[in-house]
Amino acid sequence: MSGAEHTQETEHPEPAQQTQQAEHPEHGPILELVRKLHRDQEAGRRFVPGETPILPSGAVFDEDDRVSLVEAALNMRIAAGPAAQQFEREFATLLGRRKAHLTNSGSSANLLALTALTQRELGKRRLRPGDEVITVAAGFPTTVNPIVQNGMIPVMIDVSLRTYNTTAERVAEAVGPRTKAIMIAHALGNPFPVAEVREIADEHGLHFIEDNCDAVGSSYRGRPTGSFGDVATASFYPAHHLTMGEGGCVVTDRVALAKVIESLRDWGRDCWCPPAASDTCHKRFGHQLGRLPKGYDHKYTFSRVGYNLKTTDLQAALGLTQLAKLPEFGAARRRNWQRLREGLEGVRGLHLPEATPGSDPSWFGFVLTVTDDAPFDRAELISFLESRKIGTRMLFSGNLARQPAYQDVEFRVVGDLRNSDIITERTFWIGVYPGLTSEMIDYVAASIREFSAGRR
């Protein structure tokens, strides 16, 4: 394994290759060379302990992924097109949602999800500057940034150690007279008690944005994460459960809200024509909106202040082949996590992670917290692991309230943030992604055990 990404071979039935070449026979020789290139690059890879990097995360590609991306490039599908539309349909179906809209990143998906709830279509329920949105202090910035970027007030609550998620009780305690929404992410693939939080949102009439970027393929009470929120988001960055290189998605069951999301994503335009179409509504020059003259071209009529956060068909073509492997990827993540958990049982000086009760996580990573009485600190352990080419990562931002970006940001804290501070001082995570083999996992566990045993 080398570089930032790892590839692995799977079997590919001959009919799929024949169909691809039958549609574009002139591409057949090129695509066969692409498959051969992939196999040649994979041949002879082996794990050398202490020399081969064990990455905390990464994309896992097979030859179908490579061929799909090249095929899209050969067809010059450089903007969103049929692959993007197919991915949106399949991803919505996977989560049991009615609508899905691809974006250029999971961070953009979060921005769109919250911004859509500020639009006039929501009437009296629209979010406005000064409204409060409940979130957690220990997480990734782009769950919280859309709240700030829309002029609202984050309400920071703490999380629990071992699950690294907040609790329904903490969420309920944080609801105040100015609270209008909840926006929380599942921590490293481990679901927070999302059904209970959904109930709190319904009880108080709050919007609920479910950040599912780190947990695609996880479930809670038998339902997929990403299926609980009024709006939910996903990320397809290389570190995530499936990848497009860059990419994200917003899903919802509310068709009217989906139209708002699409408009905001696509410059804020009023038109809903797909790429290369010009008159889907059959009245392209028949509208009169705002102070524009009657008949002004609907393709250039803008009904909201939006963005350009679209993806491309090249990305979506890769996403489609990755999506087919999501169950396989999830099984590998669970297998690696469980093997590491068993390998580290009883190690002195470390709190080991636990799944949220009622959940089935598709783990993003394996979280470790150094105990307060350990004979070593986090920096010493991380330095030891990195010296053995075992990659580590912080639990993202730690306590966001301590980050320099938020020193001038108005927010409210409910309860103490003691565990978020512990995460900032003593927590990190290591990899379980599908590119890691059992041999690698065992080497990581043995290295940590050796380190702990050598400290007095």
Side-chain angles (χ1 to χ4, degrees), residues 6-52:
H6 173 67
T7 56
Q8 71 177 18
E9 283 293 332
T10 58
E11 294 183 1
H12 310 290
E14 188 66 24
Q17 298 179 34
Q18 292 176 344
T19 300
Q20 205 167 33
Q21 294 173 15
E23 293 176 356
H24 304 280
E26 70 278 14
H27 295 164
I30 297 173
L31 299 181
E32 286 306 316
L33 286 173
V34 171
R35 290 187 183 278
K36 182 178 183 302
L37 171 67
H38 182 90
R39 291 191 291 266
D40 289 346
Q41 289 186 349
E42 290 302 299
R45 290 185 186 270
R46 64 189 184 91
F47 172 60
V48 180
E51 295 183 15
T52 305

Side-chain angles (χ1 to χ4, degrees), residues 301-314:
T301 299
F302 300 90
S303 54
R304 61 194 82 249
V305 178
Y307 313 94
N308 179 6
L309 303 177
K310 299 186 300 300
T311 188
T312 70
D313 237 39
L314 274 76

Side-chain angles (χ1 to χ4, degrees), residues 33 68 77 85 101 120 204 227 251 266 297 323-324 354 407 447-448:
L33 286 173
S68 182
R77 299 204 315 254
Q85 293 164 12
H101 286 93
R120 59 181 173 272
H204 295 278
S227 69
V251 296
D266 298 2
D297 190 346
L323 186 60
E354 297 175 356
Q407 297 312 297
S447 296
I448 294 173

